[in-house]
Amino acid sequence: MKNLIIKFIKFNRDLSKQFDLILPKKFRIDGNRFFMDQFAPQYLESNVKIYDIGGGKQPYISQDIKKSLDLFIVGFDIDQDELNRAPQGSYDQIICADITKFQGYKDANIVICQALLEHVKNVDLAFASISSILKTGGLALIFVPSKNAVFARLNILLPQKLKQKILYYIFPETRHAQGFYSYYDKCTPCEFRDLAKKNQFCVEKESFHYISSYFSFFFPFYFFWRLWVLSFYLIAREQSAETFCMALRKSSEPFV
């Protein structure tokens, strides 16, 4: 029975992928993959200090890139065990702390914050902390799922244990990387722009993405969800994004 269910899910996921091929490219770009492969790499420079906020056991910077660019990487996570499980040599320094309570040293050239802020209860405090970590002129590179996404709304409503059980059964590859409690506090493009301005950041670049794989396990769900995404985009444009990336430059003076 389990094998039949697995085959059924695979068939529906494949069908969902085929359906997406008829949509405009704009609606087929995976935001997380785009952030990892294209958005963040364009800002990496040699001999800089980078804080990987929430990187834990899965650092964003590979050891090959770390070595080739001679980077100093600070691993920052609320969970010491997560930091300890990172590949040896990934971090030059580790800080185990809550990003909403940490006061930084203004010593970072770059902060990378990938798929973390949706798990933070108070994103306003997290932004203030990130600002305190960066030097003037430093850059925060952020990827986050939007609160406006359907999966985010369901994530907020469903009990945590039920969500994890469903997620790990349908997408077993996510067991070691996803399933943490999510709040989506202020996680929309509009609210992030307001938080950026409040915390001495100017928005240098943005990227909005309109696809996720959560409903691909059953094509009828996926089909109607994709129709909703397209319709929502016509009404709200980038506010309808499922995920988004931002590059925020720290200013020397607060914005008025």
Side-chain angles (χ1 to χ4, degrees):
M1 183 64 178
K2 184 176 181 180
N3 287 337
L4 287 175
I5 294 175
I6 292 173
K7 288 180 180 179
F8 175 80
I9 291 172
K10 183 181 184 304
F11 171 78
N12 279 268
R13 292 176 72 176
D14 290 342
L15 191 59
S16 298
K17 289 179 181 178
Q18 291 300 313
F19 173 76
D20 275 332
L21 294 177
I22 70 174
L23 300 181
K25 184 178 179 181
K26 179 187 187 75
F27 295 93
R28 293 186 275 122
I29 299 173
D30 179 87
N32 196 15
R33 180 51 55 188
F34 179 82
F35 178 85
M36 294 174 66
D37 295 344
Q38 298 182 52
F39 191 87
Q42 66 186 303
Y43 294 104
L44 298 183
E45 303 174 352
S46 300
N47 303 300
V48 296
K49 189 171 189 177
I50 297 176
Y51 277 62
D52 189 345
I53 309 294
K57 63 177 178 291
Q58 294 183 305
Y60 169 72
I61 304 290
S62 71
Q63 294 192 49
D64 287 341
I65 293 177
K66 180 178 181 294
K67 184 177 180 180
S68 66
L69 294 179
D70 193 21
L71 303 174
F72 187 95
I73 309 294
V74 179
F76 187 111
D77 202 283
I78 197 171
D79 190 328
Q80 184 67 49
D81 182 59
E82 289 281 309
L83 290 166
N84 293 341
R85 292 166 64 189
Q88 189 172 5
S90 297
Y91 301 130
D92 298 290
Q93 178 185 351
I94 60 174
I95 297 175
C96 181
D98 184 338
I99 191 61
T100 66
K101 299 176 182 178
F102 183 75
Q103 180 63 37
Y105 311 109
K106 298 181 180 180
D107 60 340
N109 303 96
I110 297 173
V111 163
I112 294 175
C113 190
Q114 178 190 357
L116 168 74
L117 294 178
E118 70 272 23
H119 302 295
V120 172
K121 285 185 177 181
N122 191 320
V123 173
D124 201 332
L125 293 177
F127 259 77
S129 179
I130 291 171
S131 181
S132 77
I133 291 170
L134 282 165
K135 298 177 180 180
T136 298
L139 199 64
L141 303 176
I142 298 173
F143 167 80
V144 66
S146 174
K147 180 175 65 178
N148 290 336
V150 175
F151 70 81
R153 297 295 182 175
L154 289 174
N155 203 347
I156 293 170
L157 292 173
L158 293 175
Q160 181 66 7
K161 288 185 178 180
L162 177 60
K163 289 185 297 185
Q164 287 179 331
K165 187 174 181 179
I166 295 171
L167 179 67
Y168 296 157
Y169 189 84
I170 297 173
F171 302 101
E173 68 275 12
T174 66
R175 181 174 293 274
H176 301 294
Q178 297 184 31
F180 301 105
Y181 198 93
S182 299
Y183 302 94
Y184 299 98
D185 176 55
K186 296 184 174 68
C187 287
T188 67
C190 184
E191 289 172 303
F192 263 45
R193 291 184 191 125
D194 290 341
L195 287 171
K197 184 176 181 180
K198 181 179 179 181
N199 289 282
Q200 292 182 246
F201 289 111
C202 61
V203 179
E204 187 156 302
K205 193 169 185 178
E206 302 172 306
S207 182
F208 306 102
H209 304 276
Y210 304 90
I211 187 170
S212 53
S213 61
Y214 290 105
F215 301 107
S216 62
F217 68 95
F218 187 49
F219 179 70
F221 285 172
Y222 192 81
F223 174 78
F224 286 108
W225 164 71
R226 292 305 264 158
L227 290 182
W228 161 251
V229 169
L230 293 169
S231 302
F232 192 17
Y233 174 78
L234 293 176
I235 299 169
R237 297 299 177 180
E238 71 267 14
Q239 295 303 312
S240 70
E242 296 278 300
T243 62
F244 59 95
C245 313
M246 282 191 176
L248 307 175
R249 183 78 65 180
K250 184 180 175 182
S251 173
S252 58
E253 298 292 338
F255 295 101
V256 179

